[in-house]
Structure formats: C-alpha cells, structure tokens
C-alpha cells in the first residue's frame, strides 16, 4: 500500500549541475543569492519528502507555536450569506480550525478528467513555498533550520514546472539528483546528529531557494506527488495544452502572489502516517491569521473568493452543498466585477481567472467532488459562450447559468429528494442518521411537518461532532431524538428500522464517498438487515471508481485527534509531535461499498446503486445541452 | 430486529389502544354484498381485487369470491343502466363506467391486467366528448387515476395506465394532425397494446427456450400465463422436461396450472408449499412469473415466491422470472411490508377463533439478489437493468 515512488538513482546527463546539487556544500550557508542564474526549474523532488520509507524525519525540537484559535471566527460566524437553511456557519464549533493546508492532490485527477484539460489546479504556491524558505533563511538560518527543512519539503512537494517538455525532464532528473543529495544528507545526519544534517539540508535548500520563482503552469503543479504517474499524466496534459492560459500571466503576478503568501509557513506536518503520504498534509497554524491579515492586499484573487477561501480554512463552511454554493456565489460576484482586459478574449481570460481562483481555494482546502463538478459546469458554460456576445451579455448569461445551477441542481433537487424520501418513512419508525447531512435534515424536518410519527437516533463521532448541531436543530423542532457515539452503533442498531445517510459523492460503481464513519454505520446496518438509504443530489455523482478509502481522501488536523474539547485533563497525547513513534491520523472521508447500500435517493428518483453510471451518463448529456 | 426491542412492544401496545378506539366505528369489511354498490374504495381497504380476480381466472371458487361475483354482476347491470343514461358525459358517471368497463375486460382469463386497463382507457377515448387534446388528456388522466385508486394493489394496472398516459402526453404535441386523427391514433395505439402484450408473451417464450434443456426439472410457482406459454412452446418443440408445481395456497393456483400442463402431456408433479426445500435438490431451475417488477430489479409475485427464491439461492439453483416490460413499475420496496398491503381472505376449511390473527397478504417481494435473470420482451436482462430501462422510459 505504500504509494511512494522508488526514486531512480541514475543521473541524467542533461542535468545541469548547479550549486545545490553538489554534495553537502557547507559554503552555502548564507542567504541565497536571489539573482543566481540557475534555471527556473522546479526544485521539487518527485518523492515528496525525500524520505525513504524506512527513514523517519529527524525530530524537530524547535518550539512551534500552537495553532492559534482564530479570533475572527466569532464575528465571522454571524456573516452567513448562504441562503439554504442549515448551512449556518455557526454550527461548526470545533475549537480550532480543522482545515487542511492542502495541496492539489485531487486536482490532477480532476484536471485529467476534464476534457478541456484546463482545470486549473495549478499551485501558485510552488513559488511561495520557496519564497517562504528564502525569507526564513534570510531571517535566521540556524534557528529556523527545521522550518527551512520543512519548507524545503514543501518546495519539493509543489511541483510547479515549466511547460516545456525538456524542462520537465530536467526537472525530474534534478529532483532525483537533489533527492540523492538529501539522502546523503540524511545518512550523514544519522551519523552526525540531527542538527548538523538539518543545517546541511538547509544549506542545500537555501541554495535551491535561490532559484527564481518557477513558472507555474496548470496541471503541471502536481505537487507533492509521490505519484510519478500523476506527474507523468500532468506532463502529458501540459504537452497538449501548448498555449496554456496561465502563460498569459506575467511573472510579476506570480511573484507578487508568491510574496503575498510568503510569510505563511506552509510547513509540512510532522509525524505523517506512511500509508497516507500521498495525501497532502500541512501544519495548521499561522496560515489563517496570515491570510486574514492580508485581506487588503489582494492582488489577483477577488475579495469574494478570498473570503470564501478563508472561511473554508477556518472550517466555517463545511458540507458539500454549503461549500459549493458559497464558492459559486463568490464566483458570481467575481464575474460581476470582471472586465476583460484589453487585447484578451473574454473566454480565455475568464477561464484563466477562474483557474486561479480555484487554485487559491484548493490551497485553503482541497475541493470536494460537488465543487469539482460545479467548476466543470462553469468552465463548460464559459467555453461555450458564443463569440459574438458583448461582455455584459456574456456576464449576465453566466450569472444566470450559475443561478440556475444552484437552483435546479441543489435547492430544487433537495426538495425532490425530500419528497421521495418521506414516502419511505412510516409511522412508528426509528430512523438512524450519522453526522450531519443537509439533505437528511431537510427530510426529517419535512416528515415531521407532515405529521409522521417517528423518532431519530443521531450517531456522532470525534473529532468533528457534527451531529451535535443536527441534534440541536431537530430537538428545537420537536422531533424525538437520541444521541449516541459511533462506538455504540451496534448496540442501538437492533431497534432501528431505517438508516438515512448523506453523501459527499456517489461514485460510478455505487460506492458512497462520505464522512468518515459512514461506512461503519452502513456495515452494521447491513448486518442487522436494516435498509440503508443514501440521500444525495445528482450533481454530486462522479464517474470515478474507488475501491478503498485510501487512494483518495483528505487529511485533517492531527491535533484534533489528540485533544478533546472541553476536557483539558485528557492530555496523554500531548507532545505527539515529538514522539517519532506516534503518528496521529485524522481522515475526513471514507468509501462505503455498494453492497451495504439499499437505495440512493436523488432528484432523479429512487435508484439502486447499480444505476449510478446510468445517471452519470444521462446527467452528463443533459447539462451539456442546457 | 426492531421487533425484538422493547420499543416495538410499547409502540404496538399504543397502536392497539388507538385501533381499539377506532375499530368499533369501522364497518366490517367482509360483507361485500352490502358494500359492493358503494364506491369500490371499501374493497381496497381489505381485499385485493386483483388477487380475487386471479383466483376467479383459475377457476377455483371460494365463497367470498362468489359473493363478490354476485355483487359485481349486480354492479354491472347498474353500470349498464348508467351507461345508457350517460349522454352529456358527466365525469362522475364516466368514472364509474371506466371501472366497470375495466372489470368487464378483466374477467376474461387470457387478458393481461394492463391490457384490460388500456382497453378501458380506450373506451374512455371512444366515448369522450372532448374537442381538444388537452381536454382529452385531462379526461384520460381522471379515468386513469380512478382506475388506479380503485385497486391500489395491482401493479400491472398502475404500470399500464402510466405507460399509456406517458404515451399520450409525449405524443400529444404533434402539430400536424388535427384532433380527430390524434384521437384515432391513440385508439389505434390502445388496440395495438393488446397485440403487443400477446406478442410479448410469445417473445418471452422464445427467449426462454434456450434455457430449457432436455431432461431438466423446472419448479414453477403461481399461475403465470407467461410461464405457461413458455412451457407450452417448449412442449411443442418436443423438449423432454418435467415440472414440479407447488400447490399455491390459498387460491390453489397450482392445481389449475398442473391441470393445464397435464393437458399438454408434460410430466407434472404437485408439491405442497412446504415441500419446496425437500424437492429443491432435484430441481434444475425455478421459473416464475411476476405481478410487477420494481425498480431495484426485484419482483412482486404471489406469496411464496420469496421463500422459494431463498431456498433456491442457498442451493445454487437459478431463478428465472418471466415478465413483460409493461410490468416495470417505479416502486422501490425496502422490505416486505413496504408495499401497499394486498390482502385476501384465506379459507382454512375450518372456522378460526376470532382472537387468532391471520396473515392474509397475497403477495411478497423478492429482492434482486435472489433472482438470476429476467426474461422480458426487451430481451434477457439481469435485475440491475430494470432501473436502467425505467430511467430511460420515465426521464
């Protein structure tokens, strides 16, 4: 299951040996020369951390600030601009931001799926990580040794790279060589002690950061990947998209953007679980406050999009529908304020702008599948605009398209789902639900309004405790509820008659991709022969097939695992970061096999899980011809 | 599993208390003679007309059936009177007449339910006084709704009505025809439906020939005309096979089926319903018809089908279902009780004390995982294709 690539040790003769490739060069301990003439290549090692599977990162003993509670959460919580009822941001009450400073791990996949190929998941942060390291090394190369090392990791992870094929090969080779250097450094580290090695590493990285900001191209920023195949695919895409939209960006833009983020320490998390190394994980912490303080120095990101991104980071908006609607509304605002720059076509320029917004959002938090589908829809609408439309006409057409998407695919779809689902509730039923799904909640409220007699068992789990908010809302409406934790689910299942679950997405083989814990609940229900009904709007379906929960997932903040809110005395996991044997894992999603699912309720009616590819086929055709 | 829990007992007690309050007010449903002439809704509550009629077809007469038949005859004459009185096309009279027209058609044993329904709707078109397509559509919708509500338990009736209404609405917007030609087109289509249904049986019979091999033993359950047609065709093709036929209580349709098969010189062995597992070893395949095919790919059929399918699955015997495509319905039962209850009284031959409850449901639901293949006029399908077809038809 280890998805790390085994790096090749052959050194490519085309590799241009620049300073930092050399074996540990102690002379490069000073601040890097920003004007060095090294080629603007990505200095990313293909295998992320450049740690072999058996190596464990040297313990970093530097005091890291604990992730600060976002002071802006409370005021921001009142600002709820989302129309649909239950997406109230105040619900989310975790003590600290459970957000991922994620790379676009999922993006290359989306990028490849999209036929237009311009599904800009590129990471502009490829540069900023470097800039960060540059600045930090400027600040205090010794003190920030660990950070620098971490930033290096990040740089290695963020594979920006030139669009030209030659450069790619060079990049890979360079990465390999650099990785070799890293390994040598590590080997030295084991002998000499961590600090020295770290210093060595840092010096090599400092040298690396001397390179100018790499040019970022879409689909090339296959960050982090331990997945060489992902890299190669991205390379192919790059080769296909020769006049790449991002190439219209001037270097100044990117540099500016990189500088904007440069203060943010995109530090990679410590103590990562090996099995999940292919998923991005970054330290939670200063990122949010940094971005918040930068609100007025926006640059290329529209303020509405920026705001939404911050809310994702803070965890204010969670749930597939809420995130999608917030993102689409932000896009609406940005399209409204958009004006075509001179000598550029609206379609292309707007597409590239949307790409950049999406990249920003990915940095805040990886896209959910619902968001990915919505973006695909939007880009398809943009690209199919007739060329003779004036700018204002095009803008109004796009705005109305987005409105229609939100209305038809989400809000009305929810109404249809509720209508179908309440027919499956009889008087005297005991319904079980897990965590908090907007569709399930709407259905329960509607059934209660219709006067059906039933009671609800809400199953909840750490660390998010999303069920608590659902519990408050249901009890507030007068529905009889029971609240329990997931470890008791097999105890209560014997008296349950129906299980209603929500989904982040349903994949083509009928697998339900949903909040972690859903699969367990469905399995127990299946064992007790209780029917499991999934309520999911059709726009969340995807043609992907996933066989397990590992290959594609999202990692949350491991700190949340070690801490229990409200119980400060539970501190046995404190200091997990210092213990190299302890690797907390906070997964956010899991995949429920189709055998456990009795029925999927969508806006197309009630369908068996085997009919999902039919809907994807029909649905795809339909929205193409809107 | 919920039935074992304390909450179920409490809920049941509450329910019984509530029922006791309202029970006295309810009239006893088992006096069809008195209620027959009122609107037929009373019948729905407790006795499924569908299954009553089927037992009538099978020629096995029960006392209840007799009483109902008398009532229906009485109703018929009244309806005939009503028909004569109808001149201005009052909607209420029409509604009653549709139902009776349907009943007339239904009484013919060889006719499928859906065909009877569509013929009744054709009659509505013929005798309609509407002058525009919209008006005609509205009339048809009303007639179809009344048919459906008259017997909520018959799936093929509902499906047939839905299909015809769908055809009407889909083609009503054709520009180039005037009203009379549109009307005649609809009539033609309705007439053709009968042929389609008959042809469907032939197609299914042909498709199933590949699966009946020489020397095989087939277990059948319930009196399905489609299955009979298939076996008849096989016999005509001189295949050597034998049939195990379940008794099919309470309407004993199996007896009638064994009669028919014996006439065709097919070796038949009768089993009581409980002997299915005992004989399953020597069986090569199970062949049943369906009252309705639901969206999950499962079937709704005579009581006992689920049991047989379970036994067959556990012994690795294939279960084949023969169903015409108009029986596909947009239902999705989650368990046995998730359907409209279709009850019919069971005659045990001896009086049962009133304190004893009797399970009188006439049908059960077989989930798709116990079925191997469906033989339909669309071809030989796996159960998961049913949803595909339904989505394409209705969306």
């Amino acid at each position: 299951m280890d998805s790390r690539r085994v790096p090749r040790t052959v050194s490519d003769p085309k590799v241009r040996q620049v300073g930092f490739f050399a074996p540990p060069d102690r002379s490069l301990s000073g601040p890097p020369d920003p004007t060095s003439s090294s080629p603007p290549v990505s200095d990313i090692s293909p295998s992320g951390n450049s740690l072999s599977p058996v190596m464990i990162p040297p313990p970093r003993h530097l005091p890291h600030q604990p992730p600060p509670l976002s002071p802006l959460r409370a005021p921001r919580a009142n600002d709820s601009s989302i129309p649909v009822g239950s997406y109230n941001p105040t619900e989310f009450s975790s003590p600290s931001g459970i957000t991922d400073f994620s790379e676009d791990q999922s993006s290359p996949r989306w990028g490849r799926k999209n036929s237009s190929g311009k599904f800009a998941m590129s990471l502009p942060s490829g540069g900023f990580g470097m800039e960060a390291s540059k600045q930090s090394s400027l600040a205090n190369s010794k003190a920030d040794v660990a950070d620098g090392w971490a930033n290096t990791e990040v740089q290695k992870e963020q594979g920006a790279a030139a669009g030209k094929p030659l450069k790619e090969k060079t990049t890979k080779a360079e990465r390999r060589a650099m990785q070799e250097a890293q390994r040598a450094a590590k080997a030295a580290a084991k002998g000499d002690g961590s600090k020295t090695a770290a210093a060595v590493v840092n010096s090599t990285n400092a040298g690396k950061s001397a390179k100018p900001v790499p040019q970022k191209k879409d689909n090339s920023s296959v960050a982090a990947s331990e997945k060489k195949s992902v890299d190669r695919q991205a390379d192919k895409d790059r080769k296909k998209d020769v006049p790449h939209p991002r190439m219209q960006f001037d270097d100044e833009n990117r540099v500016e953007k990189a500088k904007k983020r440069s203060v943010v320490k995109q530090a990679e998390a410590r103590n990562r679980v090996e099995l999940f190394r292919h998923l991005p994980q970054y330290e939670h912490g200063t990122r949010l406050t940094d971005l918040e303080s930068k609100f007025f120095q926006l640059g290329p990101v529209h303020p509405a999009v920026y705001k939404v991104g911050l809310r994702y980071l803070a965890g204010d908006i969670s749930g597939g529908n809420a995130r999608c609607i917030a993102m689409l509304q932000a896009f609406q605002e940005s399209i409204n304020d958009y004006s075509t720059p001179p000598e550029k076509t609206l379609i292309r320029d707007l597409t590239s702008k949307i790409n950049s917004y999406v990249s920003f959002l990915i940095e805040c938090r990886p896209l959910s599948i619902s968001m990915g589908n919505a973006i695909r829809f939007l880009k398809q609408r943009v690209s199919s605009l007739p060329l003779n439309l004036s700018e204002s006409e095009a803008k109004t057409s796009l705005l109305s398209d987005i409105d229609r998407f939100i209305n038809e695919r989400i809000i009305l779809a929810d109404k249809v789902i509720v209508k179908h689902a309440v027919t499956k509730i009889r008087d005297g039923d005991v319904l079980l639900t897990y965590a908090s799904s907007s569709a399930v909640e709407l259905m329960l409220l509607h059934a209660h309004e219709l006067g059906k007699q039933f009671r609800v068992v809400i199953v909840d789990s750490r660390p998010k405790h999303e069920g608590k908010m659902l519990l408050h809302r249901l009890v507030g409406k007068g529905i009889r509820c029971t609240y329990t934790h997931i470890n008791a689910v097999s105890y209560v299942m014997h008296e349950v008659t129906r299980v209603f679950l929500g989904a982040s997405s349903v994949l083509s083989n009928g697998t339900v991709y949903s909040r972690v814990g859903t699969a367990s609940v469905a399995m127990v229900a299946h064992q007790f022969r209780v029917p499991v009904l999934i309520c999911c709007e059709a726009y969340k379906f995807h043609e992907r097939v996933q066989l397990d929960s590992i290959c594609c997932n999202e990692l949350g903040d491991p700190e949340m695992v070690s801490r229990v809110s409200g119980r400060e005395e539970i501190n046995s996991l404190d200091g997990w970061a210092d213990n190299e044997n302890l690797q907390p894992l906070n997964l956010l999603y899991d995949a429920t096999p189709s055998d456990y699912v009795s029925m999927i309720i969508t806006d197309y009616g009630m369908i068996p899980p085997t009919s999902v590819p039919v809907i994807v086929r029909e649905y795809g055709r339909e929205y193409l011809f809107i | 599993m919920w039935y074992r829990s304390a909450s179920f007992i409490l809920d049941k007690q509450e329910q019984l208390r509530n029922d006791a309050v309202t029970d006295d007010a309810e009239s006893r449903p088992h006096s069809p003679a008195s209620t027959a002439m009122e609107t037929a809704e009373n019948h729905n509550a407790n006795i499924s007309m569908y299954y009553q009629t089927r037992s009538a077809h099978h020629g096995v007469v029960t006392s209840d059936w007799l009483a109902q038949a008398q009532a229906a005859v009485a109703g018929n004459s009244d309806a005939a009177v009503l028909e004569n009185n109808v001149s201005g096309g009052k909607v209420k009279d029409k509604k009653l007449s549709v139902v009776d027209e349907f009943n007339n058609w239904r009484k013919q044993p060889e006719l499928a339910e859906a065909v009877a329904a569509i013929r009744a709707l054709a009659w509505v078109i013929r005798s309609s006084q509407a002058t525009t397509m919209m008006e005609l559509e509205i009339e048809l919708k009303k007639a179809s709704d009344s048919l459906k509500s008259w017997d909520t338990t018959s799936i093929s009736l509902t499906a047939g009505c839905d299909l015809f209404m769908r055809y009407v609405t889909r083609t009503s917007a054709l520009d180039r025809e005037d009203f009379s030609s549109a009307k005649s087109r609809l009539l033609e289509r309705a007439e053709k439906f009968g042929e389609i249904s008959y042809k469907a049986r032939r197609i299914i019979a042909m498709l199933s020939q590949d699966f009946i091999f020489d020397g095989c033993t087939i277990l059948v359950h319930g009196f399905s005309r489609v299955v009979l047609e298939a076996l008849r065709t096989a016999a005509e093709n001189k295949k050597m096979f034998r049939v195990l036929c379940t008794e099919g209580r309470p309407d004993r349709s199996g007896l009638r089926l064994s009669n028919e098969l014996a006439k065709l010189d097919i070796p038949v062995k009768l089993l009581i319903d409980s002997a299915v597992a005992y004989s399953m070893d020597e069986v090569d395949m199970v062949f049943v018809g369906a009252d309705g095919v639901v969206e999950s790919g499962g079937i709704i059929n005579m009581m006992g089908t689920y049991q047989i399918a379970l036994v067959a699955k556990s012994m690795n015997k294939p279960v084949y279902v023969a169903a015409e495509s108009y029986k596909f319905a947009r239902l999705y039962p989650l368990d046995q009780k998730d359907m409209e209850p279709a009850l019919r009284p069971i005659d045990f031959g001896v009086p049962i004390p009133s304190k004893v409850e009797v399970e009188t449901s006439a049908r059960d639901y077989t989930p798709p995982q116990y079925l191997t293949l469906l033989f339909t006029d669309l071809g030989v399908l796996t159960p998961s294709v049913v949803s595909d077809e339904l989505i394409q038809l209705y969306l």
Side-chain angles (χ1 to χ4, degrees):
Chain A
M1 288 305 240
D2 192 0
S3 51
R4 298 185 48 112
R5 266 169 300 154
V6 177
R8 299 205 302 253
T9 56
V10 175
S11 123
D12 193 332
K14 277 188 278 215
V15 170
R16 277 173 280 180
Q17 297 284 344
V18 188
F20 64 88
F21 282 141
D25 189 354
R26 317 257 161 162
S27 62
L28 284 182
S29 57
D33 179 9
T35 58
S36 99
S37 55
S38 33
V41 226
S42 149
D43 37 53
I44 311 303
S45 140
S47 53
N49 301 342
S50 79
L51 291 173
S52 78
V54 295
M55 282 187 172
I56 297 170
R60 281 171 280 176
H61 297 293
L62 284 203
H64 267 261
Q65 318 156 11
L69 298 185
S70 165
L72 297 186
R73 177 183 316 281
R76 202 183 302 123
N78 297 330
D79 163 35
S80 138
S81 56
I82 308 200
V84 188
S86 57
Y87 312 134
N88 191 339
T90 53
E91 303 146 19
F92 190 73
S93 60
S94 74
S96 71
I98 301 187
T99 54
D100 296 320
F101 297 77
S102 359
E103 292 295 347
D104 53 342
Q105 270 316 297
S106 47
S107 57
R109 235 163 284 114
W110 302 126
R112 268 175 282 128
K113 287 264 172 349
N114 191 9
S115 51
S116 70
K118 308 257 191 294
F119 198 32
M121 295 302 171
S122 80
L123 220 32
S125 52
F128 80 80
M130 256 186 24
E131 288 300 315
S133 79
K134 174 164 75 163
Q135 296 227 356
S136 60
S137 46
L138 278 171
N140 185 351
S141 58
K142 288 290 178 173
D144 273 342
V145 138
D147 282 345
W149 182 80
N151 287 333
T152 315
E153 304 306 317
V154 168
Q155 297 168 31
K156 286 183 240 149
E157 301 231 341
Q158 297 160 15
K164 301 160 201 158
L166 279 180
K167 289 239 170 117
E168 290 159 18
K169 283 189 199 144
T170 313
T171 310
K172 272 193 230 161
E174 275 186 338
R175 290 197 290 267
R176 279 198 297 272
M178 202 204 63
Q179 189 193 341
E180 275 304 289
Q182 291 289 340
R183 251 219 217 108
K186 285 293 168 299
K190 287 213 154 165
D192 305 342
S194 48
K195 287 271 176 159
T196 328
V200 162
V201 166
N202 186 44
S203 59
T204 57
N205 298 335
K208 234 185 348 186
S209 67
K211 291 188 157 177
V213 176
Q215 299 190 357
K216 288 164 283 246
K217 303 287 176 272
D218 276 352
N219 295 338
S220 61
S221 51
V222 173
S225 316
E226 323 250 272
K227 289 183 182 170
K228 211 170 218 160
S229 54
V230 172
D231 229 14
R232 283 202 203 100
Q233 283 257 2
D235 292 348
K236 285 188 206 133
D237 282 348
R238 237 175 303 152
K239 287 173 199 166
K240 279 186 213 146
D241 314 336
V242 170
H244 215 278
R246 297 302 294 280
M247 283 179 82
Q248 293 170 4
F249 274 48
D250 298 335
D251 270 6
E252 286 83 2
N253 264 351
R254 267 185 234 111
V255 168
E256 187 193 321
K257 206 189 298 181
K259 264 198 198 146
K260 174 179 74 173
R261 296 187 220 279
S262 63
V263 183
V264 177
K265 296 192 194 74
Q266 185 79 319
E268 199 190 86
R270 303 164 283 183
N271 296 29
R272 299 187 54 177
V273 177
E274 281 303 323
L275 196 59
F276 291 94
R277 273 196 183 278
H278 59 286
L279 300 174
Q281 182 163 29
Y282 295 98
E283 286 276 346
H284 297 260
T286 57
R287 176 115 198 212
L288 183 59
T289 44
D290 283 335
L291 281 184
E292 285 164 2
S293 59
K294 287 218 187 43
F295 190 74
F296 297 105
Q297 314 158 18
L298 288 174
V301 178
H302 188 275
V305 177
Y306 199 85
K307 213 162 44 159
V308 164
L310 287 189
R311 296 177 79 180
Y312 286 169
L313 254 189
D316 278 351
I317 308 182
S318 94
N321 283 348
R323 289 170 68 189
C324 186
I325 293 182
M327 175 188 77
L328 285 178
Q329 288 176 334
F331 281 171
Q332 269 185 323
E333 276 191 47
S334 66
I335 291 180
N336 215 357
D337 298 339
Y338 171 78
S339 56
T340 320
E343 296 175 9
K344 294 215 170 114
T345 64
L346 176 132
I347 294 180
R348 284 217 191 156
D349 191 50
L350 189 55
T351 307
S352 62
K353 261 211 145 45
I354 293 177
N355 289 346
S356 67
Y357 297 157
V358 170
S359 322
F360 171 74
L361 289 179
I362 292 176
E363 284 164 39
C364 298
R365 193 178 160 183
L367 293 188
S368 67
I369 298 190
S370 57
M371 293 165 69
N373 285 350
I375 292 172
R376 229 180 353 175
F377 162 80
L378 180 60
K379 292 175 74 168
Q380 188 265 330
R381 297 308 299 159
V382 169
S383 64
S384 69
L385 282 173
L387 292 170
N388 54 0
L389 280 187
S390 75
E391 183 179 312
S392 56
E393 280 175 356
K395 277 164 49 168
T396 32
S397 145
L398 282 179
L399 291 178
S400 74
D401 277 341
I402 295 182
D403 265 334
R404 206 155 46 122
F405 184 88
I406 294 181
N407 247 333
E408 287 177 9
R409 304 283 177 214
I410 306 183
I411 302 190
L412 285 181
D414 274 340
K415 292 207 171 87
V416 174
I417 290 177
V418 164
K419 189 174 69 106
H420 284 296
V422 294
T423 62
K424 287 300 174 194
I425 304 181
R426 308 163 297 192
D427 284 343
D429 264 350
V430 180
L431 310 176
L432 185 136
T433 183
Y434 177 72
S436 171
S437 159
S438 54
V440 174
E441 182 183 339
L442 285 173
M443 177 209 59
L444 291 173
L445 293 174
H446 189 247
H448 186 68
E449 275 166 35
L450 289 181
K452 299 211 177 199
Q453 300 298 316
F454 59 91
R455 62 184 180 87
V456 179
V457 178
I458 301 176
V459 177
D460 205 6
S461 73
R462 282 198 66 227
K464 282 195 157 195
H465 286 300
E466 291 167 323
K468 277 188 183 156
M469 285 302 132
L470 176 65
L471 177 69
H472 279 301
R473 288 193 291 266
L474 291 185
V475 169
K477 295 281 185 186
I479 301 179
R480 293 200 324 244
C481 298
T482 307
Y483 178 85
T484 180
H485 207 249
I486 193 170
N487 46 20
V489 72
S490 55
Y491 178 76
V492 297
M493 191 57 79
H494 72 276
E495 56 180 41
V496 173
T497 57
R498 303 262 190 268
V499 173
F500 282 93
L501 299 172
S504 172
S505 165
V506 182
L507 308 176
S508 263
N509 59 345
T511 305
V512 176
Y513 187 71
S514 180
R515 177 67 66 220
V516 65
T518 309
S520 315
V521 173
M523 186 169 67
V524 174
H526 184 254
Q527 193 58 36
F528 281 81
R529 316 250 316 158
V530 175
V532 174
L533 291 79
I534 309 283
C535 301
C536 178
E537 298 85 356
Y539 83 100
K540 288 181 180 164
F541 288 2
H542 200 267
E543 69 258 13
R544 187 173 91 201
V545 169
Q546 195 171 328
L547 300 176
D548 56 38
S549 311
I550 297 176
C551 56
C552 186
N553 210 319
E554 190 181 327
L555 292 177
D557 184 4
E559 189 65 32
M560 295 310 301
V561 172
S562 68
R563 252 196 265 139
V564 180
S565 72
R567 300 279 305 272
E568 300 309 325
E569 72 275 12
I570 299 182
N571 57 1
S572 32
L573 283 186
D574 280 356
W576 56 267
D578 305 323
N579 184 351
E580 55 197 38
N581 286 327
L582 184 55
Q583 296 155 353
L585 177 66
N586 186 5
L587 281 180
L588 291 184
Y589 291 106
D590 70 11
T592 309
S594 60
D595 310 328
Y596 299 151
V597 176
S598 312
M599 171 202 297
I600 303 181
I601 308 179
T602 75
D603 41 330
Y604 284 88
M606 301 184 275
I607 60 171
T610 47
S611 290
V612 172
V614 178
I615 298 281
V616 170
R617 190 181 74 212
E618 304 288 324
Y619 181 84
R621 211 181 299 149
E622 196 181 293
Y623 86 66
L624 281 182
F625 289 125
I626 290 177
Chain B
M1 294 288 180
W2 172 63
Y3 299 107
R4 288 199 278 144
S5 76
S7 24
F8 170 68
I9 311 260
L10 287 175
D11 289 343
K12 189 104 170 67
Q13 284 179 356
E14 235 186 275
Q15 188 192 355
L16 283 175
R17 249 176 278 130
N18 289 342
D19 282 352
V21 171
T22 57
D23 241 354
D24 310 323
E26 277 181 13
S27 53
R28 299 297 301 155
H30 287 273
S31 48
S34 58
T35 58
M37 258 341 280
E38 304 171 29
T39 57
E41 280 83 10
N42 268 348
H43 288 266
N44 292 346
N46 292 287
I47 300 177
S48 163
M49 284 311 300
Y50 176 64
Y51 289 95
Q52 290 291 85
T53 321
R54 288 191 72 84
S55 69
H57 290 170
H58 310 327
V60 177
V61 175
T62 65
S63 53
D64 303 293
W65 180 86
L66 266 180
Q68 284 192 0
Q70 278 170 359
V73 165
N76 236 356
S77 54
D78 275 359
V81 168
L82 276 173
E83 262 188 70
N84 292 337
N85 287 344
V86 164
S87 51
K90 289 189 210 149
V91 175
K92 185 162 194 309
D93 289 340
K94 269 223 162 96
K95 261 200 257 187
L96 274 180
S97 304
V98 162
V99 169
D100 288 304
E101 175 78 15
F102 173 63
N103 279 335
N104 281 342
W105 283 113
R106 195 192 227 179
K107 289 206 170 62
Q108 295 184 20
E110 275 309 304
L111 211 54
E113 280 273 308
V115 179
I118 293 185
R119 292 234 172 118
L121 290 177
W123 175 87
V124 167
I125 299 180
R126 231 177 277 126
S127 54
S128 132
Q129 310 281 327
T131 47
T132 66
M133 255 339 252
M134 269 322 270
E135 232 183 294
L136 185 59
E137 254 187 72
I138 295 176
E139 267 186 45
L140 274 178
K141 186 98 192 16
K142 282 210 192 102
S144 144
D145 284 340
S146 68
L147 271 181
K148 281 199 256 188
S149 63
W150 183 82
D151 185 0
T152 53
T153 62
S154 172
I155 297 181
S156 40
L157 167 61
T158 316
C161 286
D162 277 342
L163 261 180
F164 193 67
M165 286 312 299
R166 189 134 187 101
Y167 176 74
V168 168
T169 46
R170 266 199 177 149
T171 58
S172 64
L174 292 178
D175 315 304
R176 262 172 243 132
E177 48 183 18
D178 58 346
F179 179 61
S180 51
S181 53
K183 205 167 157 182
S184 54
R185 181 174 48 81
L186 288 180
L187 277 175
E188 230 182 277
R189 176 79 187 193
E191 302 300 325
K192 247 181 50 174
F193 200 84
E195 288 171 37
I196 293 176
S197 154
Y198 179 64
K199 248 196 237 153
R201 286 197 198 151
R202 303 268 336 132
I203 296 175
I204 294 173
M206 298 303 297
L207 286 174
S208 48
Q209 294 312 299
D210 285 333
F211 291 83
I212 302 178
F213 50 89
D214 275 333
C216 71
T217 304
I218 306 178
L219 176 68
V220 295
H221 178 73
F223 189 85
S224 163
R225 293 163 286 208
V226 186
V227 172
L228 182 56
E229 178 76 27
L231 295 177
R232 185 182 291 138
T233 318
E236 281 161 15
N237 293 345
K238 304 274 184 285
K239 293 213 176 173
M240 312 285 293
F241 62 96
R242 69 184 184 114
V243 174
L244 298 183
C245 191
T246 57
E247 186 192 5
R249 288 216 68 218
D251 47 348
R252 287 178 276 160
S253 46
L255 299 180
R256 167 93 174 168
L257 180 62
S258 57
N259 220 354
E260 295 290 325
L261 290 174
K263 283 189 209 153
L264 299 168
D265 283 332
I266 300 175
V268 169
K269 185 164 168 184
L270 258 185
L271 310 168
I272 56 172
D273 296 332
S274 341
V276 164
Y278 176 80
S279 323
M280 190 57 82
D281 276 338
E282 54 188 39
V283 160
D284 291 313
M285 69 177 85
V286 178
F287 212 171
V288 293
D291 291 332
V293 181
V294 294
E295 194 150 7
S296 58
I299 59 168
I300 297 184
N301 200 14
M302 186 171 124
M303 179 65 81
T305 313
Y306 183 33
Q307 211 158 280
I308 295 180
L310 273 172
V311 174
K313 175 88 175 183
S314 75
M315 296 199 189
N316 285 324
K317 310 287 181 187
V319 176
Y320 299 132
V321 175
E324 301 97 315
S325 65
Y326 57 76
K327 287 184 177 159
F328 290 7
R330 291 221 84 182
L331 299 169
Y332 203 132
L334 290 173
D335 50 33
Q336 300 302 320
K337 308 292 187 307
D338 202 8
M339 310 177 277
E340 286 284 329
L343 309 172
R344 37 179 332 260
I346 300 182
D347 181 19
F348 286 106
V350 290
I352 307 286
S354 53
K355 264 194 298 184
V356 174
E357 234 185 292
V358 178
E359 175 64 60
T360 50
S361 178
R363 61 187 183 180
D364 61 19
Y365 163 66
T366 307
Q369 53 260 36
Y370 302 109
L371 305 174
T372 321
L373 288 175
L374 297 172
F375 299 151
T376 72
D377 47 323
L378 303 169
V380 177
L381 312 173
T382 58
S384 45
V385 178
V386 175
S387 177
D388 204 335
E389 293 293 328
L390 279 172
I391 289 175
Q392 296 196 347
L393 188 58
Y394 283 100
L395 289 175

